[in-house]
Amino acid sequence: MTEIHQELHERRILGTELLWAFGVGVLIAAILSMIVFTALSIGVNPPSNVERLDPKALHLSGEFAEDNLGTSVGSDGRVVVRVIATQFAFLPRCIPVPVGRPVTLRFVAPDVLHGLLISGTNVNTMVVPGYVAQVHTEFTRTGDLLMPCHEYCGLGHSEMWATVQVLPENQFQPDSNGRVSCAQR
Ligand code: CUA
């Protein structure tokens, strides 16, 4: 190859490289802008809550004892949902929430890694044993939503799901202890 040929060859390679670099740059920019867009428009954020809890003693006492699971309304009107994700069910299996009000969801796991999402909402988190996974959201429409486990957790993984019942304000009635149960249908 003469020197002039060599140079043309190198330029062609450089051209291809720049083209690929441009393509990858566009792709990264598109992905980053999607992340920023969904974060700002519909509140899709990575969970940032770091709160430790002994997974071996969850059920014995404290916040995640059996009596405290499910939906409760505090004296300040705050709606908090506490759920245990365990092989292979969510406890409780039906979660009542009010429409159009801020809701705080708190999940823990006593055994292995689980995950969950609530269809059509920004709720999507992993549940790591030893930590409380916390998500804030507001449900915009009434009706039943599916909440499947989305992290492979064993043979019964595909059977692990709960129902989120989004209730209109007049059906979301806390009892004297501030507890709310799913409406019977
Ligand atoms: Cu729990 Cu998959």
Side-chain angles (χ1 to χ4, degrees), residues 85-90 112-115 149-154 156-158 160:
T86 184
Q87 286 168 319
F88 297 100
F90 290 103
V112 299
L113 189 63
H114 299 274
C149 178
H150 69 28
E151 196 70 50
Y152 183 75
C153 51
H157 163 70
S158 59
M160 182 172 170

Side-chain angles (χ1 to χ4, degrees), residues 14-15 96 102 130 163 177:
L14 182 67
T163 307
N177 295 318

Side-chain angles (χ1 to χ4, degrees), residues 83-95 107 114-119 144-151 153 156-164:
V83 177
I84 290 186
T86 184
Q87 286 168 319
F88 297 100
F90 290 103
L91 305 172
R93 285 165 189 270
C94 183
I95 299 163
F107 302 93
H114 299 274
L116 61 98
L117 60 82
I118 303 178
S119 54
D144 287 3
L145 300 173
L146 202 59
M147 188 177 93
C149 178
H150 69 28
E151 196 70 50
C153 51
H157 163 70
S158 59
E159 305 301 315
M160 182 172 170
W161 52 272
T163 307
V164 175

Side-chain angles (χ1 to χ4, degrees), residues 19-120:
L19 199 66
W20 277 101
F22 178 74
V24 170
V26 168
L27 201 65
I28 291 170
I31 290 168
L32 285 179
S33 46
M34 252 188 283
I35 290 170
V36 172
F37 175 75
T38 52
L40 296 178
S41 62
I42 51 174
V44 175
N45 298 303
S48 55
N49 180 53
V50 178
E51 210 179 319
R52 305 205 65 161
L53 208 69
D54 180 6
K56 295 191 296 295
L58 284 184
H59 57 295
L60 298 178
S61 64
E63 189 185 344
F64 290 92
E66 197 176 347
D67 291 350
N68 290 329
L69 297 182
T71 306
S72 62
V73 185
S75 47
D76 52 358
R78 254 165 45 102
V79 182
V80 181
V81 178
R82 294 180 180 87
V83 177
I84 290 186
T86 184
Q87 286 168 319
F88 297 100
F90 290 103
L91 305 172
R93 285 165 189 270
C94 183
I95 299 163
V97 291
V99 72
R101 261 169 79 179
V103 174
T104 301
L105 300 146
R106 289 167 65 75
F107 302 93
V108 287
D111 40 31
V112 299
L113 189 63
H114 299 274
L116 61 98
L117 60 82
I118 303 178
S119 54

